Amino acid sequence: MSEFFAWLGHMPPLVQVPIIILTFVLVVAAILFFVEIAPRSGKLYTGIRLAVCIAAPALILILVGSYDWAVIIAAVLGGLFFILDYRSRKGAGYLFQLVGFLSPAILLLTIGLVIPTLQTTVQAFQNSRGTEFIGFDNFVWVFTQPEAVRTVGNTIVWVLIAPLVSTIAGLAYAMFIDKSRGEKYFKILVFMPMAISFVGASIIWRFVYTARPADQNQIGLLNQIVVWLGGTPVDFLAVEPWNTLFLIVVLIWVQTGFAMVVLSAAIKGVPTEQLEAAELDGTSPWQRFVNVIVPGIRGSLIVVLTTISIASLKVFDIVRTMTAGANNTSVIANEMYTQFKNFEQGRSAAFAVVLFLLVMPIVVYNARQIKKQREIR
């Protein structure tokens, strides 16, 4: 593909324009093929489908530069696609209609997710230059070096604290302001941080934590309060191990609004008949909350917890903007970037694989819970 674009870049503009137009026409023709020709039956259309099945992989391989294997692989893939189309048809061209609709998403997922995942996994077992296979040495380094182990530990602290506190705060806020006067304004105030990027939120909170010498005016809110109370300025981002907790506060501040909105909508969906029946039975507000509301919003609680857990596992912007990992505040995503910047591609890929393995159980659990909720409905 790179050879094709390099060749195109050396062409004069009068040649480039027709080639670009021709490419656009071919894309439109491919779309029309899937919409119009593939669904039709008959020997002519069957032959056209077989030709496209063989030509498409061949064209891709030629553009990539694998001329030697283009014919063989194209014939194998083309025949496979054609057999699948023939055997799986519920109507004429069923497989091709399906591929026609899903191909953009499949292509983007393959390019943006599947291929990078495979490449990163392979690099995790190679040296820093990617020229030699070294087995599990990079993973051994990750789990034996004190700095790397602390990085993994910090990430676990993030995922244990941030989701739990954000969800509890969002749920409490949703309960207290539900059906109160000015409800929408209170929700706007809590949800506003969600409109700010993690980098913007980090800059705001870095100013909040900023410390200047005692003989100078403080520009950080917290240190100004400390000075007013008669104390001395504290460099909050340098005090270990509390500096990690001060960074987690930023994520909690941003994600509480998300938890509040989702859980507030879920609470409003709890049937009023159940709440009224519980009230008639003489239950207290706390008992109604525990025995009626919480079971009724269980699915939303799981979604909120797992979503914020994933955000906590892959947090990067906050740490990079506020401390860059200094004073033992680094997390896996930040260390992955740091190792890559230091030309340690193998170690960087190993951190990426570890992060992937930590995220996957949460994603699978979330998907299963959503599936169960759909089955109940």
Side-chain angles (χ1 to χ4, degrees):
M1 187 71 72
S2 58
E3 295 177 2
F4 172 75
F5 285 112
W7 171 79
L8 183 61
H10 291 297
M11 293 292 104
L14 292 177
V15 177
Q16 290 182 8
V17 173
I19 293 177
I20 294 174
I21 294 174
L22 178 61
T23 304
F24 175 77
V25 171
L26 290 175
V27 172
V28 174
I31 295 173
L32 291 175
F33 167 78
F34 285 116
V35 174
E36 287 292 333
I37 297 177
R40 300 188 182 186
S41 59
K43 294 182 179 180
L44 175 62
Y45 296 110
T46 301
I48 294 175
R49 285 199 297 272
L50 178 59
V52 171
C53 283
I54 296 176
L59 179 60
I60 294 173
L61 289 167
I62 290 173
L63 290 176
V64 172
S66 302
Y67 304 103
D68 298 335
W69 291 93
V71 177
I72 298 174
I73 297 178
V76 173
L77 291 178
L80 177 62
F81 292 155
F82 182 76
I83 292 172
L84 289 174
D85 175 52
Y86 179 78
R87 296 189 61 182
S88 66
R89 259 186 254 169
K90 294 181 180 178
Y94 168 74
L95 178 65
F96 278 93
Q97 292 181 53
L98 183 63
V99 172
F101 286 112
L102 296 182
S103 56
I106 294 173
L107 179 63
L108 291 175
L109 284 173
T110 302
I111 296 175
L113 183 63
V114 177
I115 294 177
T117 300
L118 295 176
Q119 290 178 337
T120 303
T121 304
V122 172
Q123 289 177 354
F125 296 94
Q126 296 177 339
N127 60 2
S128 59
R129 297 183 179 181
T131 57
E132 182 182 351
F133 181 79
I134 59 174
F136 290 91
D137 288 358
N138 291 322
F139 294 96
V140 171
W141 182 88
V142 169
F143 291 103
T144 54
Q145 295 297 314
E147 295 82 3
V149 173
R150 188 180 295 111
T151 296
V152 177
N154 287 340
T155 304
I156 295 174
V157 171
W158 275 79
V159 79
L160 289 177
I161 296 177
L164 186 61
V165 176
S166 298
T167 303
I168 292 175
L171 178 59
Y173 201 86
M175 285 295 300
F176 288 140
I177 68 173
D178 187 33
K179 298 179 182 179
S180 64
R181 294 182 60 183
E183 175 184 355
K184 61 181 179 180
Y185 300 108
F186 295 138
K187 286 184 177 180
I188 288 173
L189 289 175
V190 178
F191 190 74
M192 279 179 63
M194 281 293 296
I196 306 174
S197 67
F198 281 149
V199 174
S202 302
I203 293 173
I204 292 172
W205 279 88
R206 188 170 183 178
F207 278 113
V208 172
Y209 292 140
T210 297
R212 283 188 171 184
D215 57 344
Q216 298 182 14
N217 294 327
Q218 299 298 318
I219 63 173
L221 175 62
L222 289 181
N223 276 300
Q224 185 61 62
I225 295 174
V226 170
V227 171
W228 282 341
L229 296 176
T232 57
V234 179
D235 190 357
F236 291 97
L237 298 180
V239 180
E240 302 178 27
W242 306 107
N243 47 7
T244 296
L245 298 179
F246 294 138
L247 295 180
I248 295 175
V249 168
V250 182
L251 183 63
I252 294 173
W253 182 65
V254 174
Q255 294 294 334
T256 298
F258 163 74
M260 181 267 299
V261 169
V262 174
L263 296 177
S264 178
I267 291 171
K268 292 182 183 299
V270 176
T272 56
E273 295 82 2
Q274 295 181 6
L275 295 172
E276 292 173 355
E279 187 175 359
L280 290 174
D281 288 339
T283 58
S284 64
W286 173 253
Q287 289 174 330
R288 289 196 295 273
F289 172 75
V290 173
N291 298 317
V292 179
I293 294 178
V294 171
I297 63 172
R298 181 176 179 275
S300 298
L301 282 172
I302 292 173
V303 170
V304 170
L305 280 170
T306 52
T307 302
I308 301 178
S309 297
I310 293 172
S312 303
L313 281 171
K314 62 186 184 67
V315 66
F316 168 77
D317 316 60
I318 296 174
V319 175
R320 196 69 198 176
T321 303
M322 298 185 71
T323 64
N327 300 311
N328 295 325
T329 58
S330 187
V331 291
I332 290 180
N334 179 73
E335 194 63 26
M336 180 176 64
Y337 171 78
T338 301
Q339 294 295 331
F340 181 81
K341 189 179 66 172
N342 294 335
F343 303 102
E344 292 287 349
Q345 296 184 10
R347 294 176 181 176
S348 175
F351 274 112
V353 172
V354 172
L355 181 60
F356 177 78
L357 294 177
L358 290 175
V359 169
M360 278 306 297
I362 301 176
V363 173
V364 172
Y365 176 76
N366 197 3
R368 288 185 175 180
Q369 293 301 316
I370 293 175
K371 183 179 179 181
K372 288 181 180 179
Q373 291 295 323
R374 289 177 178 175
E375 292 174 352
I376 293 174
R377 294 175 184 175

